[in-house]
Amino acid sequence: MAELKVIIFQLKDEEYAIPVQQVRSIEKIQHITRVPRVPKYVKGVINLRGVVTPIIDLRMRFGLEEATFSDHTRVIIVALDDMEVGLIVDAANDVVDISTDAIEPPPEVVDATTADYINGVVKIGKRLFILLNLEKVLKTEKG
Amino acid sequence: MDMSQYLEVFIDESKEHLQTINEQLLELEKNPDDVSIVNEIFRSAHTLKGMSATMGFEDLANLTHQMENVLDAIRNGKIAVTPELLDVIFRAVDDLEAMVVSIAEGGDGKRDVTDVVAQLKQIEKGEVVVAQKSTPTYEQTYDEFEYTILKQSAEQGFHSYEVAIKLRSDCLLKAARVFMIFEVIEQIGEVIKSVPTVEMLEAEQFDDQFVVTVVTKVSQDELQKRIMKVSEVEEVNVQPVDFAQEKAHEKPVEQKEEPKTVEQVAEKKQEGQEEKATGKQVSNKTIRVNIERLDVLMNLFEELVIDRGRLEQISRELNNPELHETVERMSRISGDLQNIILNMRMVPVETVFNRFPRMVRQLARDLGKKINLEIIGAETELDRTVIDEIGDPLVHLLRNAIDHGIETPDVRRAKGKPEEGTVKLKAYHSGNHVFIEIEDDGAGISREKVLKKAISKGIISEQNAANLTDKQVYELIFASGFSTADKVSDISGRGVGLDVVKSTIESLGGSVSIDSEEGVGSVFSIQLPLTLSIISVMLVEIQNEKYAIPLSSIIETAIVKKEDILHAHNQKVIDFRGKVVPLLFLRDIFEVPVIKEEDDFLSVVIVRKGEKMAGLVVDSFIGQQEVVLKSLGNYLTSVFAISGATILGDGQVALIIDCNALIK
């Protein structure tokens, strides 16, 4: 029975999960340099210890309303293939182990815009985690 | 036994050996009789065979073995060197290269080589036995450098002579006589070379004869008479330098063939020593460093540059003289350090150039043209990042010169040119740039042809065409969707034309220009920055955002009054030193959120792209700074008019503006 270690983060009132292997680090929000003429959800770039890293506002990526940054706001630096991108989330709460058997296909009722970005859902106790499909999130709309 | 730890070394060394084989084969083609070259090739092939057998790459070893057999036969005079034979060997080398590449990429290095092996076997058994005798004569030989000097002086109207001087056998003070003779010659010309060398002559390490090569403006007779005036000179024999023959003997220094006569061996020895004396190849002590380590060093240093910027900023704000002084000294030292690190990453362009002779030879044979490739300045150094990128554009331009530039031998003959076309590949430093020129003595660019084509492709209109200068017309061949060859060959002109070359070079921060004369030839000149990783920029502010503009594209900055802005075709322009320059409001282009109100004065940065100019309107200038160029990462590719980013002293990211994209 395969175990999967995931990082749990919050977006609006839902909890999302992302495998730790895809996460490089979790950062506090810092100065973001706006990049002109890019999709709205790309907030810009930050200086991540000498590496210029693009930042995506995950709320806007999912078509949710924008939120003001708070003390809980975090940037999760994820890596996929040779890309490193930061995702702005409302909070990063937890690391949990889930068993791969517990993953269920996404329910039909999930909001149509976010449905694309979901790999499945996991229910642990009373909490429901939505498994993020990073490929889809990072895929630019043109490509 | 686990071989993996040796694999890297094996691959490196194999590549080096293959490169040697390639170079020597080309040399062999020029001097088919030179056994020493064959020996050189044989040695490399033999080492390669041994290494690959040890590493367990059977195919590699087999093919090398077969090649070795053929080389052995050549060495023993059983087979004559013909272009056809070399073709087969070259093909075998290609296969070997492919195998090594496959191994380097983690493959097994296997490849079907039965064809080539069969051909090699055929050659080995072939009965074409031509007794080859080199022609041992008492003559001067020149290396490439000396040869160039001779040729250049010939072009400037000097005569070159080989002067064989014999002193009387009873001459006592030979060194003194030599000195006198040299003095006589130096009054009327210049000694290019002497055999034995001047040092040996002065040490009286010669019998009674020596040969000097002289460039002078005086006639053969006068030269002879003047030297004869020196006493105790028995005989002076003046011969003009035979260029045609020198060509074939360009690199004879390595001749180590079996002794023919005692006299000749002595001469060879002298030549060997002479090579040492001229110090043509001073052996430098070097170590191999993994390029990754240099990259790490570079990255660390880049961090340091960022902190340096920060320190400079703090010191300015605090205005403490002691801090000021320390920071300034640190800046200077780190500046020196920067130079050294950048220098370490410098690689001679040779690494790119040395694959061209093969390519040119192949192309020339494929196209039925005769081409002589001259490479000048292969030792010129460039940053590795530039080297990595410059190969393909150069291949493109060379192919272009050979395919479209140089005419076929019969056409050339009809035009009264030598059958063999010359392509010169020249690299040199100038200021903060490296120039690479590709010059051919071919057909040149036809203005009419280019214009006709450009009009038919809709690149320009007929009215505009007449007003263009020649240079502007040549620029057209860099326009996308342009190909001047009447017929499309597979060498060049596959639709993806010179526009790709231009954009690659511009993406490296360089530029290309063309000079051409119809019927005489063309020169493609590429200008490249020395390095790509650290550049000088001008920092500007647009509302609350900071941007960097590369100094290389800036002409100057200006403050313009609002009422001085003119309007032309819905476009705001200014009159800048008599020229109409369009204004680009970066605030609008980059959709910068507006916070501050506009001033009555505009800060304008005048930038250029080739001949065109534009004025970038910003809110204020911050100043000039050296910054480290960073990419925006793989997620944000091709952001409009942004070529990269940099990290400023305060840790924030500033975007670098790509002026080329802004000017159309």
Side-chain angles (χ1 to χ4, degrees), chain B residues 27-74:
Chain B
E27 204 57 47
L28 183 66
E29 193 169 32
K30 283 187 209 148
N31 314 319
D33 294 336
D34 196 335
V35 180
S36 70
I37 299 176
V38 184
N39 278 332
E40 197 71 35
I41 304 170
F42 189 85
R43 217 168 310 142
S44 286
H46 190 76
T47 318
L48 191 61
K49 182 178 89 171
M51 287 195 307
S52 41
T54 319
M55 295 295 291
F57 299 116
E58 293 299 331
D59 285 359
L60 200 57
N62 280 341
L63 183 53
T64 334
H65 176 71
Q66 213 47 247
M67 206 166 93
E68 224 182 85
N69 285 349
V70 174
L71 289 169
D72 198 39
I74 298 174

Side-chain angles (χ1 to χ4, degrees), chain B residues 259-532:
Chain B
K260 299 247 162 64
T261 62
V262 181
E263 198 184 328
Q264 205 195 349
V265 171
E267 193 198 332
K268 291 278 152 61
K269 232 196 240 156
Q270 283 164 352
E271 275 184 10
Q273 279 165 0
E274 180 200 40
E275 157 126 296
K276 255 180 241 154
T278 48
K280 197 175 144 204
Q281 210 120 55
V282 185
S283 65
N284 285 321
K285 278 189 186 156
T286 54
I287 52 164
R288 246 178 232 244
V289 179
N290 193 327
I291 196 81
E292 269 170 35
R293 283 199 199 170
L294 285 185
D295 284 343
V296 171
L297 184 63
M298 190 68 194
N299 279 338
L300 287 175
F301 184 73
E302 284 170 0
E303 300 270 305
L304 208 59
V305 171
I306 293 165
D307 286 338
R308 179 179 78 190
R310 172 92 181 115
L311 265 179
E312 279 167 355
Q313 198 177 330
I314 294 172
S315 129
R316 261 197 304 276
E317 281 162 14
L318 289 182
N319 215 1
N320 175 327
E322 273 179 58
L323 176 66
H324 226 64
E325 204 176 300
T326 320
V327 167
E328 230 165 61
R329 189 148 66 228
M330 207 196 82
S331 299
R332 259 202 306 278
I333 292 172
S334 70
D336 291 348
L337 198 59
Q338 178 177 330
N339 281 339
I340 290 174
I341 293 178
L342 288 180
N343 259 328
M344 278 202 310
R345 294 164 51 89
M346 293 292 213
V347 184
V349 274
E350 206 176 353
T351 48
V352 183
F353 281 9
N354 60 18
R355 62 179 156 128
F356 292 151
R358 267 296 303 278
M359 189 193 89
V360 169
R361 174 188 183 273
Q362 194 59 46
L363 275 181
R365 279 182 74 84
D366 288 352
L367 291 166
K369 293 179 182 180
K370 286 188 182 163
I371 288 160
N372 173 31
L373 176 70
E374 269 182 49
I375 293 181
I376 302 161
E379 71 287 346
T380 311
E381 288 183 325
L382 262 171
D383 192 275
R384 193 183 62 91
T385 37
V386 186
I387 292 270
D388 288 347
E389 299 290 324
I390 195 66
D392 287 342
L394 283 181
V395 167
H396 221 101
L397 287 176
L398 270 178
R399 282 168 174 262
N400 188 65
I402 292 162
D403 196 17
H404 303 319
I406 304 283
E407 313 93 329
T408 49
D410 36 323
V411 174
R412 289 182 67 89
R413 217 178 309 130
K415 283 187 180 172
K417 293 185 189 177
E419 273 185 33
E420 188 181 59
T422 305
V423 176
K424 264 190 217 161
L425 185 59
K426 190 161 122 193
Y428 58 94
H429 276 231
S430 177
N432 238 349
H433 288 93
V434 167
F435 290 82
I436 299 178
E437 287 178 5
I438 294 161
E439 186 182 343
D440 66 72
D441 65 347
I445 299 170
S446 155
R447 183 189 162 99
E448 282 71 48
K449 246 187 190 172
V450 172
L451 282 180
K452 227 168 83 190
K453 194 96 168 201
I455 293 167
S456 76
K457 298 247 167 167
I459 296 168
I460 48 160
S461 68
E462 227 157 307
Q463 299 98 286
N464 288 342
N467 297 328
L468 293 178
T469 63
D470 281 356
K471 211 151 193 149
Q472 284 169 321
V473 173
Y474 303 149
E475 292 287 325
L476 287 174
I477 66 173
F478 286 125
S480 57
F482 193 94
S483 161
T484 40
D486 296 331
K487 56 176 182 209
V488 172
S489 64
D490 66 1
I491 308 294
S492 56
R494 277 156 296 186
V496 284
L498 292 169
D499 55 321
V500 182
V501 172
K502 191 181 165 87
S503 63
T504 313
I505 289 166
E506 278 175 355
S507 74
L508 292 172
S511 61
V512 213
S513 64
I514 313 174
D515 222 350
S516 180
E517 194 175 332
E518 204 174 345
V520 180
S522 324
V523 185
F524 286 76
S525 175
I526 302 171
Q527 182 185 351
L528 289 168
L530 275 181
T531 175
L532 290 181

Side-chain angles (χ1 to χ4, degrees), chain A residues 31 33-38 41-42 44-47 49-52 54 56 61 82-85 137-138 140, chain B residues 303 545 547 589-593 630-636 638-640 642 645-647 651-655:
Chain A
H31 178 89
T33 301
R34 195 184 62 90
V35 178
R37 297 207 183 188
V38 288
Y41 55 81
V42 178
V45 288
I46 60 163
N47 165 19
R49 290 176 286 279
V51 178
V52 176
I56 295 175
R61 183 75 176 111
D82 48 0
M83 284 189 285
E84 276 199 18
V85 179
V137 173
L138 297 190
T140 33
Chain B
E303 300 270 305
E545 297 182 357
Y547 288 87
I589 292 170
F590 290 150
E591 298 156 354
V592 183
K630 303 219 174 223
S631 91
L632 287 179
N634 290 321
Y635 180 69
L636 288 175
S638 66
V639 178
F640 173 75
I642 299 294
T646 185
I647 295 168
Q652 290 190 10
V653 179
L655 301 177

Side-chain angles (χ1 to χ4, degrees), chain B residues 72-118:
Chain B
D72 198 39
I74 298 174
R75 192 161 60 158
N76 296 327
K78 285 188 195 140
I79 312 176
V81 178
T82 61
E84 290 71 32
L85 179 144
L86 284 176
D87 273 348
V88 177
I89 299 183
F90 272 133
R91 214 169 308 139
V93 175
D94 278 345
D95 280 332
L96 292 175
E97 260 168 8
M99 286 189 240
V100 173
V101 167
S102 132
I103 293 166
E105 282 164 358
D108 53 3
K110 290 211 185 306
R111 193 180 163 90
D112 184 18
V113 289
T114 39
D115 252 19
V116 184
V117 171

Side-chain angles (χ1 to χ4, degrees), chain A residues 4-53:
Chain A
L4 191 64
K5 211 183 254 302
V6 292
I7 288 184
I8 306 295
F9 63 85
Q10 188 150 14
L11 213 57
K12 215 176 164 192
D13 11 79
E14 275 155 355
E15 284 187 300
Y16 291 79
I18 180 168
V20 283
Q21 289 85 0
Q22 293 180 324
V23 176
R24 285 279 166 278
S25 63
I26 298 174
E27 309 286 330
K28 285 199 172 165
I29 204 88
Q30 50 170 298
H31 178 89
I32 300 178
T33 301
R34 195 184 62 90
V35 178
R37 297 207 183 188
V38 288
K40 268 246 143 38
Y41 55 81
V42 178
K43 281 305 213 185
V45 288
I46 60 163
N47 165 19
L48 185 71
R49 290 176 286 279
V51 178
V52 176
T53 312

